[in-house]
Amino acid sequence: MNMHPHATRTLEPILGLVRLPHADGLDLPAYETEGAAGMDLRAAVPEDRPLMLMPGKRALVPTGLVMEIPQGYEAQIRPRSGLALKHGITCLNTPGTIDSDYRGEVKVLLINLGEEEFLIERGMRIAQMVIAPVTQVRVVEVRQASETERGSGGFGSTGV
Ligand SMILES: O=c1ccn([C@H]2C[C@H](O)[C@@H](COP(=O)(O)OP(=O)(O)OP(=O)(O)O)O2)c(=O)[nH]1
Ligand SMILES: [Mg+2]
């Protein structure tokens, strides 16, 4: 077969990105390394109006991006470990769920769990996004759940 070596890459799912005006000039999300699971998201706050996040406070940070996530996938918005370790900055609703049919601007809900105020500046990489497959099930109401070895045991029932 006379196949181009990269031919299979055309089977990759495609993430469509619309850049809103306030994301002008910002780098689009991209995999930073070959094996990266996530793509970093950048804060699309105005250059002259960075966002000051006080300790204990939360903020919805714009990314300036509208996404067209391929059907059968979701985007998960997750914290960056460096921000969490150094500054106590994390995503409040982690992992944030972006539905494939959502056509609004993707925003990142950050919370400052550190002791210091934290300045979110334009273009700062504030979170990361993982595209993951999703299974939609058919829901069927049943009279009784089937019996299993575990049964109703949970929350440490198997010991430490
Ligand atoms: O961190 C997030 C989480 C959600 N969203 C957007 C995309 C997602 O598709 C939509 C709804 O999110 P979710 O279902 O988590 O919120 P909800 O409180 O259930 O709102 P809704 O009633 O709109 O589903 O909000 C974001 O931009 N960032
Ligand atoms: Mg919802």
Side-chain angles (χ1 to χ4, degrees):
M1 266 231 283
N2 206 358
M3 209 148 79
H4 188 275
H6 296 306
T8 55
R9 293 185 71 84
T10 60
L11 295 174
E12 284 168 333
I14 290 167
L15 175 73
L17 288 178
V18 177
R19 188 199 292 266
L20 298 172
H22 55 286
D24 257 5
L26 292 184
D27 285 346
L28 290 179
Y31 296 108
E32 299 287 334
T33 62
E34 197 185 322
M39 298 181 263
D40 290 338
L41 295 175
R42 293 176 184 274
V45 295
E47 190 91 61
D48 56 354
R49 258 188 307 125
L51 216 157
M52 182 68 91
L53 198 50
M54 303 304 284
K57 298 295 179 190
R58 59 185 186 265
L60 198 54
V61 184
T63 64
L65 299 173
V66 169
M67 300 191 182
E68 208 164 319
I69 297 165
Q71 231 189 338
Y73 293 82
E74 61 159 336
Q76 300 175 355
I77 309 296
R78 305 186 188 177
R80 293 187 69 208
S81 61
L83 289 181
L85 177 66
K86 288 180 216 148
H87 305 286
I89 297 293
T90 188
C91 297
L92 178 55
N93 60 327
T94 187
T97 305
I98 312 298
D99 302 285
S100 67
D101 57 354
Y102 177 66
R103 293 296 178 270
E105 178 180 6
V106 171
K107 296 184 178 175
V108 177
L109 183 50
L110 290 183
I111 184 161
N112 184 352
L113 300 179
E115 295 81 41
E116 310 277 324
E117 55 196 36
F118 183 75
L119 192 65
I120 301 165
E121 294 179 301
R122 182 173 182 78
M124 184 179 272
R125 289 179 293 150
I126 49 170
Q128 60 187 317
M129 173 174 75
V130 171
I131 305 294
V134 164
T135 303
Q136 276 193 345
V137 297
R138 185 163 55 91
V139 177
V140 177
E141 187 171 358
V142 293
R143 214 189 286 276
Q144 216 171 16
S146 61
E147 282 179 23
T148 65
E149 186 187 338
R150 172 181 284 278
S152 58
F155 311 100
S157 70
T158 63
V160 284

